[in-house]
Amino acid sequence: MHINKPEVLAALLAQEDTTGSKTITVEDKGPKHFTVRAANGDALEARGTYHLANLLQEIWLGEGEIDPEKITLPPLERIDYLMRTHYWRTLTRRMDADNVLAVLFDEKRASDRGYLYVPEADSDGLEYYRRICAAHPNIEIIPLPAPPLSDEYLKSIEYKPGLLALKYDAQSGKPRPYVVPGGRFNEMYGWDSYFIALGLLEHGEYELAQGMLENMAYQIKYYGKMLNANRSYYLTRSQPPFYTPYLAAFMAACGERVSPEWLAEHMGIAIAEYENVWMNPATRLTEIGLNRYFGEGHGRPKETEPGHFDFELQKYADKHGLPVREFERLYDEGKIIEPALDRYFVHDRSMRESGHDTTTRFDDVCADLACVDVNSILYRVETDLAALTDQYFGGRFDYQGKSYSADYWRAQAAKRQALMNDYLWHEAEGTFYDFNTVKGTPQPFLSATNLLPLWAGCCTPAQAEKLVRTQLPQLLQVGGIMSAQVCSDAPGPERQWDGPYGWAPHQILIWEGLQRYGFADEAAEAAFAWLKMLVRATVEYNGLITEKFNVQKASHKVDAEYGNVGAAFEYVPAGGFGWTNASFLLGQHYLSEAQKQVLNRLADEVDA
């Protein structure tokens, strides 16, 4: 159906967008009935919030053409269609000549110049980025030394915040693409990428998933770790170690697409990350043999917004009789020494490495904790490496002069499982808890991460039974699984990884864990709660898909720190949000046909 796009768009918004948001939602008070008339006399009627929002999206995305069938798709099909045709493309970035400026200058801090850091050991990449940036004198290319980087060097680039290059593929002559989380984020994030990749694989986006995996491997090879994100202020910080689970998921979905040499290279990088990052006793391996998160570096994280730490800094500013900004400046310059504040920021940087930034669970303690989540993930790393070694390398893989057998990895996993039982499992309460290695005591805290041994497969069936009985009823809310207990009396801003908020990665991991141990009904219940909230948001709010939700209220309207990425857009969501998109696709595997029908009927109930 051919239309006059500007004319129809203006008429639709004038009648139905009474809030002036350039979207059509349940909050608009128009007649909820609009007729589109084509030049040839054809007419298309749309009634109700959901169908009017679909019409708006199709007008905006089209070039004067509307497919009436796209307006009336039921929600599950409509959301899937938008993800396939629009969202993944919108979230995809590539650091090439056409995009480098847009990606580079989306920094968390203002800068008169753009700084692009390229590993000096990557001669092909260095030559490429120098060539494409030659026309931009405001971009400075900085060759980055090989890791480990000294504190002196890191301090020297502190006030030159910039982008870290990703893999340039000399064979194709292009940088490898990657998918960003969404919203204001233009960099590639660590653990986000694993969940995004699961969604990409679900949609058959194998080349894009492979490109992201290669970019992750590039970071480990040239920056020393899978980074929190590829910005210079993240050089000291990793994120939950999902690189090997990502590799295993990719091989399971499309292993026939890659060569044995490709896989061997990535196996070596997986082992390097495991040995050098996570089993390093100077940083992330504790004295009890279990692992912790540990954000290296010094001082406060420089990517945070101005004033983010005022609730903590004010105490020290008062102690010194200084305004908080003046104290902050003097502390940053090393002219005021406060060991307790130094330690606070060690814990804060470690919390940010965990991906759970921020949560009361880790307040002023994160670096002291052998955490349930990181040890569960590393157990999965070890068992994935064992399985890959068996399946593709005949039970033995050689790397840098050392031979790693599948039995070696199974022994590592068994050792970790035994230590988790010794230190993290609490039989009386029927759950795993983080363990404070400094105090020698457990840290009882209700958290979705207590359930991650289900996903990893490192608990016994009896433990799984108790975990599901003791933890899931407290965490499962009307809108899905809550991240952690509600801590309304915690100091500072309301923490986005505390209750009542819920996030896609926890849902995805826990659904898989429940299914693994035979709790299919519980997995279906949890997935249905999350998807019902998600689909309701899309049908009521013009297709909206955000990074997090208030699962107690089953609402995208949250009051926590940082707001809610993905909530603000015009006409059509700008890609949704990466891991939430993936959760929508993956969650449907756990649902019955009857549950799917309930979700589709939400479109008809929105204006009831």
Side-chain angles (χ1 to χ4, degrees), residues 154-181:
L154 290 168
K155 288 179 182 178
S156 75
I157 65 171
E158 198 167 88
Y159 294 99
K160 291 185 176 182
L163 195 67
L164 301 173
L166 296 174
K167 182 176 182 178
Y168 165 71
D169 180 37
Q171 186 174 358
S172 68
K174 297 178 180 179
R176 295 297 261 159
Y178 61 99
V179 177
V180 299

mmCIF file of all heavy atoms in Angstrom, residues 154-181:
data_model
loop_
_atom_site.group_PDB
_atom_site.id
_atom_site.type_symbol
_atom_site.label_atom_id
_atom_site.label_comp_id
_atom_site.label_asym_id
_atom_site.label_seq_id
_atom_site.Cartn_x
_atom_site.Cartn_y
_atom_site.Cartn_z
ATOM 1 N N LEU A 154 48.912 3.821 32.973
ATOM 2 C CA LEU A 154 47.467 3.997 33.084
ATOM 3 C C LEU A 154 47.115 5.387 33.594
ATOM 4 O O LEU A 154 46.157 6.008 33.128
ATOM 5 C CB LEU A 154 46.879 2.921 33.999
ATOM 6 C CG LEU A 154 46.893 1.497 33.424
ATOM 7 C CD1 LEU A 154 46.576 0.481 34.508
ATOM 8 C CD2 LEU A 154 45.906 1.370 32.265
ATOM 9 N N LYS A 155 47.910 5.898 34.535
ATOM 10 C CA LYS A 155 47.671 7.253 35.019
ATOM 11 C C LYS A 155 47.933 8.282 33.924
ATOM 12 O O LYS A 155 47.250 9.308 33.842
ATOM 13 C CB LYS A 155 48.549 7.527 36.231
ATOM 14 C CG LYS A 155 48.117 6.793 37.494
ATOM 15 C CD LYS A 155 49.064 7.086 38.663
ATOM 16 C CE LYS A 155 48.656 6.303 39.900
ATOM 17 N NZ LYS A 155 49.587 6.526 41.037
ATOM 18 N N SER A 156 48.907 7.987 33.058
ATOM 19 C CA SER A 156 49.261 8.951 32.015
ATOM 20 C C SER A 156 48.158 9.114 30.971
ATOM 21 O O SER A 156 48.102 10.142 30.291
ATOM 22 C CB SER A 156 50.566 8.521 31.334
ATOM 23 O OG SER A 156 50.351 7.412 30.458
ATOM 24 N N ILE A 157 47.303 8.111 30.808
ATOM 25 C CA ILE A 157 46.220 8.204 29.813
ATOM 26 C C ILE A 157 44.866 8.442 30.462
ATOM 27 O O ILE A 157 43.843 8.451 29.771
ATOM 28 C CB ILE A 157 46.158 6.938 28.934
ATOM 29 C CG1 ILE A 157 45.779 5.705 29.760
ATOM 30 C CG2 ILE A 157 47.474 6.728 28.198
ATOM 31 C CD1 ILE A 157 45.502 4.466 28.914
ATOM 32 N N GLU A 158 44.864 8.658 31.769
ATOM 33 C CA GLU A 158 43.608 8.785 32.495
ATOM 34 C C GLU A 158 42.743 9.910 31.955
ATOM 35 O O GLU A 158 41.512 9.808 31.905
ATOM 36 C CB GLU A 158 43.902 9.005 33.981
ATOM 37 C CG GLU A 158 42.748 8.736 34.894
ATOM 38 C CD GLU A 158 43.190 8.674 36.342
ATOM 39 O OE1 GLU A 158 43.210 9.736 36.968
ATOM 40 O OE2 GLU A 158 43.536 7.587 36.829
ATOM 41 N N TYR A 159 43.381 11.000 31.572
ATOM 42 C CA TYR A 159 42.613 12.151 31.099
ATOM 43 C C TYR A 159 42.602 12.232 29.569
ATOM 44 O O TYR A 159 42.388 13.295 28.994
ATOM 45 C CB TYR A 159 43.156 13.428 31.743
ATOM 46 C CG TYR A 159 42.908 13.404 33.235
ATOM 47 C CD1 TYR A 159 43.913 13.044 34.119
ATOM 48 C CD2 TYR A 159 41.638 13.680 33.744
ATOM 49 C CE1 TYR A 159 43.673 12.975 35.483
ATOM 50 C CE2 TYR A 159 41.389 13.615 35.105
ATOM 51 C CZ TYR A 159 42.407 13.259 35.971
ATOM 52 O OH TYR A 159 42.158 13.193 37.326
ATOM 53 N N LYS A 160 42.846 11.094 28.943
ATOM 54 C CA LYS A 160 42.645 10.948 27.507
ATOM 55 C C LYS A 160 41.686 9.778 27.269
ATOM 56 O O LYS A 160 42.045 8.780 26.637
ATOM 57 C CB LYS A 160 43.975 10.697 26.796
ATOM 58 C CG LYS A 160 44.921 11.893 26.785
ATOM 59 C CD LYS A 160 46.160 11.573 25.951
ATOM 60 C CE LYS A 160 47.066 12.788 25.847
ATOM 61 N NZ LYS A 160 48.260 12.498 24.995
ATOM 62 N N PRO A 161 40.468 9.878 27.784
ATOM 63 C CA PRO A 161 39.546 8.743 27.640
ATOM 64 C C PRO A 161 39.172 8.526 26.189
ATOM 65 O O PRO A 161 38.839 9.455 25.465
ATOM 66 C CB PRO A 161 38.335 9.179 28.473
ATOM 67 C CG PRO A 161 38.366 10.668 28.418
ATOM 68 C CD PRO A 161 39.825 11.043 28.415
ATOM 69 N N GLY A 162 39.276 7.297 25.740
ATOM 70 C CA GLY A 162 38.984 7.035 24.341
ATOM 71 C C GLY A 162 38.571 5.605 24.097
ATOM 72 O O GLY A 162 38.379 4.807 25.021
ATOM 73 N N LEU A 163 38.448 5.287 22.842
ATOM 74 C CA LEU A 163 37.987 3.983 22.392
ATOM 75 C C LEU A 163 39.178 3.066 22.163
ATOM 76 O O LEU A 163 40.235 3.495 21.705
ATOM 77 C CB LEU A 163 37.208 4.153 21.094
ATOM 78 C CG LEU A 163 36.335 3.003 20.613
ATOM 79 C CD1 LEU A 163 35.165 2.787 21.559
ATOM 80 C CD2 LEU A 163 35.810 3.294 19.204
ATOM 81 N N LEU A 164 38.994 1.788 22.492
ATOM 82 C CA LEU A 164 39.999 0.768 22.207
ATOM 83 C C LEU A 164 39.609 0.045 20.926
ATOM 84 O O LEU A 164 38.468 -0.398 20.780
ATOM 85 C CB LEU A 164 40.085 -0.234 23.359
ATOM 86 C CG LEU A 164 40.443 0.336 24.733
ATOM 87 C CD1 LEU A 164 40.309 -0.747 25.805
ATOM 88 C CD2 LEU A 164 41.850 0.902 24.743
ATOM 89 N N ALA A 165 40.549 -0.065 20.008
ATOM 90 C CA ALA A 165 40.273 -0.708 18.726
ATOM 91 C C ALA A 165 39.869 -2.160 18.925
ATOM 92 O O ALA A 165 40.304 -2.824 19.870
ATOM 93 C CB ALA A 165 41.502 -0.627 17.830
ATOM 94 N N LEU A 166 39.037 -2.638 18.016
ATOM 95 C CA LEU A 166 38.679 -4.050 17.959
ATOM 96 C C LEU A 166 39.307 -4.659 16.707
ATOM 97 O O LEU A 166 40.078 -4.017 16.001
ATOM 98 C CB LEU A 166 37.164 -4.213 17.986
ATOM 99 C CG LEU A 166 36.502 -3.741 19.286
ATOM 100 C CD1 LEU A 166 34.988 -3.803 19.189
ATOM 101 C CD2 LEU A 166 36.993 -4.544 20.480
ATOM 102 N N LYS A 167 38.982 -5.894 16.414
ATOM 103 C CA LYS A 167 39.717 -6.639 15.395
ATOM 104 C C LYS A 167 39.490 -6.095 13.984
ATOM 105 O O LYS A 167 38.350 -5.988 13.521
ATOM 106 C CB LYS A 167 39.343 -8.120 15.440
ATOM 107 C CG LYS A 167 40.131 -8.945 14.421
ATOM 108 C CD LYS A 167 39.851 -10.423 14.520
ATOM 109 C CE LYS A 167 40.694 -11.189 13.505
ATOM 110 N NZ LYS A 167 40.484 -12.652 13.597
ATOM 111 N N TYR A 168 40.597 -5.790 13.329
ATOM 112 C CA TYR A 168 40.579 -5.484 11.899
ATOM 113 C C TYR A 168 40.955 -6.753 11.161
ATOM 114 O O TYR A 168 41.987 -7.373 11.433
ATOM 115 C CB TYR A 168 41.570 -4.359 11.578
ATOM 116 C CG TYR A 168 41.867 -4.224 10.100
ATOM 117 C CD1 TYR A 168 40.902 -3.721 9.232
ATOM 118 C CD2 TYR A 168 43.094 -4.613 9.583
ATOM 119 C CE1 TYR A 168 41.159 -3.609 7.869
ATOM 120 C CE2 TYR A 168 43.361 -4.502 8.226
ATOM 121 C CZ TYR A 168 42.391 -4.005 7.375
ATOM 122 O OH TYR A 168 42.643 -3.895 6.031
ATOM 123 N N ASP A 169 40.097 -7.169 10.231
ATOM 124 C CA ASP A 169 40.330 -8.387 9.462
ATOM 125 C C ASP A 169 41.016 -8.017 8.152
ATOM 126 O O ASP A 169 40.377 -7.480 7.243
ATOM 127 C CB ASP A 169 39.001 -9.095 9.207
ATOM 128 C CG ASP A 169 39.169 -10.381 8.416
ATOM 129 O OD1 ASP A 169 40.170 -11.075 8.641
ATOM 130 O OD2 ASP A 169 38.309 -10.679 7.566
ATOM 131 N N ALA A 170 42.311 -8.281 8.061
ATOM 132 C CA ALA A 170 43.079 -7.894 6.880
ATOM 133 C C ALA A 170 42.576 -8.590 5.621
ATOM 134 O O ALA A 170 42.653 -8.034 4.519
ATOM 135 C CB ALA A 170 44.561 -8.198 7.103
ATOM 136 N N GLN A 171 42.041 -9.800 5.763
ATOM 137 C CA GLN A 171 41.580 -10.557 4.594
ATOM 138 C C GLN A 171 40.389 -9.881 3.923
ATOM 139 O O GLN A 171 40.322 -9.764 2.696
ATOM 140 C CB GLN A 171 41.226 -11.977 4.993
ATOM 141 C CG GLN A 171 40.863 -12.874 3.814
ATOM 142 C CD GLN A 171 40.665 -14.323 4.234
ATOM 143 O OE1 GLN A 171 40.832 -14.674 5.393
ATOM 144 N NE2 GLN A 171 40.315 -15.167 3.273
ATOM 145 N N SER A 172 39.438 -9.416 4.729
ATOM 146 C CA SER A 172 38.260 -8.748 4.169
ATOM 147 C C SER A 172 38.471 -7.253 4.006
ATOM 148 O O SER A 172 37.709 -6.589 3.297
ATOM 149 C CB SER A 172 37.042 -8.989 5.067
ATOM 150 O OG SER A 172 37.202 -8.322 6.317
ATOM 151 N N GLY A 173 39.483 -6.710 4.680
ATOM 152 C CA GLY A 173 39.732 -5.279 4.638
ATOM 153 C C GLY A 173 38.766 -4.472 5.477
ATOM 154 O O GLY A 173 38.622 -3.258 5.288
ATOM 155 N N LYS A 174 38.109 -5.138 6.444
ATOM 156 C CA LYS A 174 37.118 -4.460 7.285
ATOM 157 C C LYS A 174 37.314 -4.851 8.749
ATOM 158 O O LYS A 174 37.734 -5.976 9.047
ATOM 159 C CB LYS A 174 35.700 -4.848 6.875
ATOM 160 C CG LYS A 174 35.299 -4.446 5.471
ATOM 161 C CD LYS A 174 33.882 -4.927 5.180
ATOM 162 C CE LYS A 174 33.440 -4.558 3.781
ATOM 163 N NZ LYS A 174 32.063 -5.050 3.501
ATOM 164 N N PRO A 175 36.977 -3.956 9.676
ATOM 165 C CA PRO A 175 36.923 -4.349 11.088
ATOM 166 C C PRO A 175 35.749 -5.299 11.306
ATOM 167 O O PRO A 175 34.737 -5.233 10.587
ATOM 168 C CB PRO A 175 36.696 -3.035 11.832
ATOM 169 C CG PRO A 175 36.979 -1.959 10.840
ATOM 170 C CD PRO A 175 36.679 -2.537 9.498
ATOM 171 N N ARG A 176 35.876 -6.181 12.269
ATOM 172 C CA ARG A 176 34.789 -7.110 12.576
ATOM 173 C C ARG A 176 33.661 -6.352 13.272
ATOM 174 O O ARG A 176 33.899 -5.490 14.124
ATOM 175 C CB ARG A 176 35.290 -8.239 13.466
ATOM 176 C CG ARG A 176 36.317 -9.110 12.783
ATOM 177 C CD ARG A 176 35.728 -9.817 11.571
ATOM 178 N NE ARG A 176 35.343 -11.190 11.869
ATOM 179 C CZ ARG A 176 34.472 -11.880 11.153
ATOM 180 N NH1 ARG A 176 33.851 -11.319 10.138
ATOM 181 N NH2 ARG A 176 34.201 -13.126 11.460
ATOM 182 N N PRO A 177 32.404 -6.661 12.935
ATOM 183 C CA PRO A 177 31.272 -5.976 13.547
ATOM 184 C C PRO A 177 31.014 -6.467 14.970
ATOM 185 O O PRO A 177 31.494 -7.516 15.379
ATOM 186 C CB PRO A 177 30.115 -6.342 12.623
ATOM 187 C CG PRO A 177 30.487 -7.700 12.112
ATOM 188 C CD PRO A 177 31.983 -7.684 11.972
ATOM 189 N N TYR A 178 30.243 -5.687 15.689
ATOM 190 C CA TYR A 178 29.816 -6.085 17.034
ATOM 191 C C TYR A 178 28.450 -5.469 17.316
ATOM 192 O O TYR A 178 28.016 -4.544 16.608
ATOM 193 C CB TYR A 178 30.834 -5.668 18.097
ATOM 194 C CG TYR A 178 31.093 -4.179 18.208
ATOM 195 C CD1 TYR A 178 30.462 -3.410 19.188
ATOM 196 C CD2 TYR A 178 31.975 -3.543 17.349
ATOM 197 C CE1 TYR A 178 30.708 -2.046 19.302
ATOM 198 C CE2 TYR A 178 32.231 -2.188 17.448
ATOM 199 C CZ TYR A 178 31.596 -1.435 18.424
ATOM 200 O OH TYR A 178 31.833 -0.090 18.526
ATOM 201 N N VAL A 179 27.780 -5.977 18.310
ATOM 202 C CA VAL A 179 26.447 -5.495 18.691
ATOM 203 C C VAL A 179 26.540 -4.855 20.066
ATOM 204 O O VAL A 179 27.080 -5.451 21.004
ATOM 205 C CB VAL A 179 25.422 -6.648 18.701
ATOM 206 C CG1 VAL A 179 24.059 -6.157 19.171
ATOM 207 C CG2 VAL A 179 25.312 -7.264 17.307
ATOM 208 N N VAL A 180 26.041 -3.648 20.176
ATOM 209 C CA VAL A 180 26.067 -2.920 21.447
ATOM 210 C C VAL A 180 24.812 -3.256 22.249
ATOM 211 O O VAL A 180 23.813 -3.731 21.702
ATOM 212 C CB VAL A 180 26.164 -1.405 21.214
ATOM 213 C CG1 VAL A 180 27.447 -1.069 20.464
ATOM 214 C CG2 VAL A 180 24.953 -0.871 20.453
ATOM 215 N N PRO A 181 24.842 -2.996 23.563
ATOM 216 C CA PRO A 181 23.642 -3.275 24.355
ATOM 217 C C PRO A 181 22.426 -2.477 23.908
ATOM 218 O O PRO A 181 21.317 -2.999 23.834
ATOM 219 C CB PRO A 181 24.070 -2.885 25.780
ATOM 220 C CG PRO A 181 25.560 -3.059 25.783
ATOM 221 C CD PRO A 181 25.995 -2.628 24.413
#
